[in-house]
Amino acid sequence: MRTYGNHWFKEGSLIGEFSDHFCSAASRRKSALSLSAAKVEAELASKAKSEFIANMSHELRTPLNAIIGFSEMLGTLKISDPERVHQYSGYIKEAAEHLLSLINGILDVSKIQAGKLQVDCEDLNLRPIIESCLLIIDAKAREKSIAVRHQVAADLPLVFADRLRVKQILINIMSNAIKFTPENGTVMLAARRHDDEFLLISVSDDGPGMSAVEVDMALRPFGQVNQGFNKRHEGTGLGLPISLALARLHNGNLSVASEQGKGTCVSLFLPIYRNQDAEIPTIEATAAAPPAANPVVNQDC
């Protein structure tokens, strides 16, 4: 009902007063609903951050305890066996690298939320970057006997992107695929030209998959699909949100197609040319069916 300008009814009339009261009540109700929605959103954000902090305390303590424990063993025990010294030193290095990756993830999220994260883009050949990421992931895949396959188009074009950040996105995506794929499973990476403006890299797995609600949660900062006592995998849950933000900083996008019991496919779109006015692919996080475990180059997720 209109509450501004000229009154529709005669001033002082019964219907006029009823109209004024009705419009005022409707406005108050609308404001109350808006405040209630904002309160619920704030409470959910606060709960997610609290759960994230509780999870991070465990994630940070684990590598720190390993570093302290093995350092004490090297410092207090008289170990003359070079093999054991080398072994313990390797454990310390591995724990320190894990700790550094956790801290870097937290710092990246902070920069993203503050709008201070920047990318240094250049014309880039993705083929050697993809090969480097496959080598890094191979060790983790072997631990679970997971077959990592890849199919890169021969005519893969150059992209306009930041070398380090693209590598970070790919490692995040592939690490997630390895983490959630069961033993003896399959992870597939495919790269090809999507259209005249964007290149598409997809990473698919035959893991447990996610529902639409879980996909939305996985793409939110501080959100994790499995939390608390139900948590089955290590990690902070920052990989996908950071990857999504980095993809959009490149004037690209990232989408997740997943279905429970059928696996997940993550698609990364990167711009081919320097044209910063190119239309960004409007891809939403959905719970659509993922591709087959071995998608061919001319298929999308």
Side-chain angles (χ1 to χ4, degrees), residues 190-232:
R192 66 175 183 84
R193 179 190 291 268
H194 176 65
D195 53 27
D196 291 338
E197 295 176 343
F198 292 94
L199 177 143
L200 168 63
I201 302 176
S202 62
V203 177
S204 57
D205 63 65
D206 51 7
M210 295 179 285
S211 66
V213 174
E214 290 173 336
V215 168
D216 181 66
M217 184 184 300
L219 289 171
R220 291 174 179 265
F222 309 111
Q224 286 184 288
V225 174
N226 295 309
Q227 303 188 43
F229 294 108
N230 295 322
K231 187 175 178 183
R232 296 187 296 270

Side-chain angles (χ1 to χ4, degrees), residues 52 56 98-114 116-119 162 164-176 179 215-224 235-256 266-270:
F52 171 79
M56 279 304 302
H98 177 58
L99 181 62
L100 180 61
S101 68
L102 293 176
I103 294 173
N104 284 338
I106 297 170
L107 293 176
D108 283 344
V109 169
S110 300
K111 288 180 181 178
I112 290 169
Q113 293 185 331
K116 295 183 178 180
L117 187 65
Q118 298 179 344
V119 291
D162 185 313
L164 292 178
R165 293 303 184 180
V166 168
K167 190 172 183 179
Q168 181 180 357
I169 294 172
L170 292 179
I171 290 177
N172 281 345
I173 296 173
M174 296 180 70
S175 295
N176 272 354
K179 182 190 298 184
V215 168
D216 181 66
M217 184 184 300
L219 289 171
R220 291 174 179 265
F222 309 111
Q224 286 184 288
T236 60
L238 295 177
L240 277 181
I242 290 175
S243 299
L244 174 61
L246 289 175
R248 290 179 175 174
L249 280 175
H250 283 85
N251 198 27
N253 212 339
L254 183 141
S255 69
V256 179
V266 180
S267 299
L268 171 65
F269 295 87
L270 292 173

